Amino acid sequence: MDSKGIINIELLFCTLIVILLLIVNLPMIENSLNSNIEIHENSKGRILANHIADSINEVNSNEYGFRKKIKMTESVDGKFYKVIVNERETIVEFNNKKGKSAIHPIKLVDSSNKSVNNMELYNGRTYLIEKTLINDNKTDTINQSSILIRQVEN
């Protein structure tokens, strides 16, 4: 056999090996990229949950009447979301996922000063978080610290 035929066969085998390696590695690279995108989305939701929890904790740690206004972002990575605040945590729900952040235990009240289990906050709106006192004759609650979260105009 002449040397030209051997070089062509070696080139053919090398090309096949490179193609096989690419075929095997491309799905792994794609999965890695998808995982990075998902981690980025999840971290955006978690950052939002932490921001709201930090704002509630800041209001709760100050004196009665202290207020803080928060503006909710329009979306989390282009997806609509809602935030649920209960007595112990904030939960951001988006794209069939949940991100949670703990808060110091609080008593939530509505605008009529009645206790509520949770409140829902929605994207793109502005909310006022205020520390108030609750007085409830039915439950003999007098001057109990509570948190009021209400929507306000931008």
Side-chain angles (χ1 to χ4, degrees):
M1 225 181 220
D2 64 352
S3 62
K4 289 183 180 179
I6 293 174
I7 293 175
N8 287 336
I9 291 174
E10 287 176 355
L11 181 63
L12 180 65
F13 282 135
C14 288
T15 305
L16 287 174
I17 290 172
V18 168
I19 290 173
L20 283 173
L21 288 174
L22 287 175
I23 290 172
V24 170
N25 288 328
L26 281 178
M28 289 189 297
I29 293 170
E30 181 182 4
N31 288 339
S32 174
L33 290 174
N34 287 339
S35 294
N36 286 341
I37 291 169
E38 190 171 325
I39 288 170
H40 179 71
E41 285 179 358
N42 291 344
S43 66
K44 292 276 190 178
R46 180 61 189 249
I47 288 169
L48 178 63
N50 285 339
H51 171 68
I52 296 167
D54 290 344
S55 296
I56 292 170
N57 287 334
E58 179 184 352
V59 169
N60 193 36
S61 66
N62 280 291
E63 296 182 12
Y64 304 111
F66 186 83
R67 299 174 174 188
K68 183 170 185 174
K69 192 183 281 190
I70 59 170
K71 170 84 169 111
M72 307 296 280
T73 59
E74 290 295 326
S75 64
V76 174
D77 262 7
K79 296 171 179 67
F80 293 112
Y81 65 92
K82 78 174 177 180
V83 177
I84 299 171
V85 178
N86 62 36
E87 295 178 347
R88 298 197 178 272
E89 64 189 353
T90 59
I91 304 165
V92 176
E93 294 180 349
F94 69 100
N95 200 25
N96 295 325
K97 299 176 187 173
K98 290 183 180 182
K100 297 181 180 182
S101 185
I103 57 177
H104 300 295
I106 59 171
K107 179 113 177 138
L108 284 172
V109 294
D110 60 11
S111 58
S112 60
N113 224 16
K114 293 185 180 175
S115 295
V116 293
N117 292 330
N118 59 45
M119 302 192 88
E120 292 184 357
L121 313 178
Y122 297 97
N123 56 307
R125 299 181 184 172
T126 302
Y127 292 91
L128 183 68
I129 305 169
E130 181 179 3
K131 187 170 185 176
T132 62
L133 291 176
I134 184 171
N135 292 304
D136 189 353
N137 293 333
K138 293 179 185 176
T139 60
D140 293 326
T141 304
I142 299 173
N143 292 336
Q144 182 180 13
S145 174
S146 57
I147 297 292
L148 168 66
I149 302 174
R150 61 186 165 97
Q151 183 178 341
V152 295
E153 295 297 320
N154 295 336

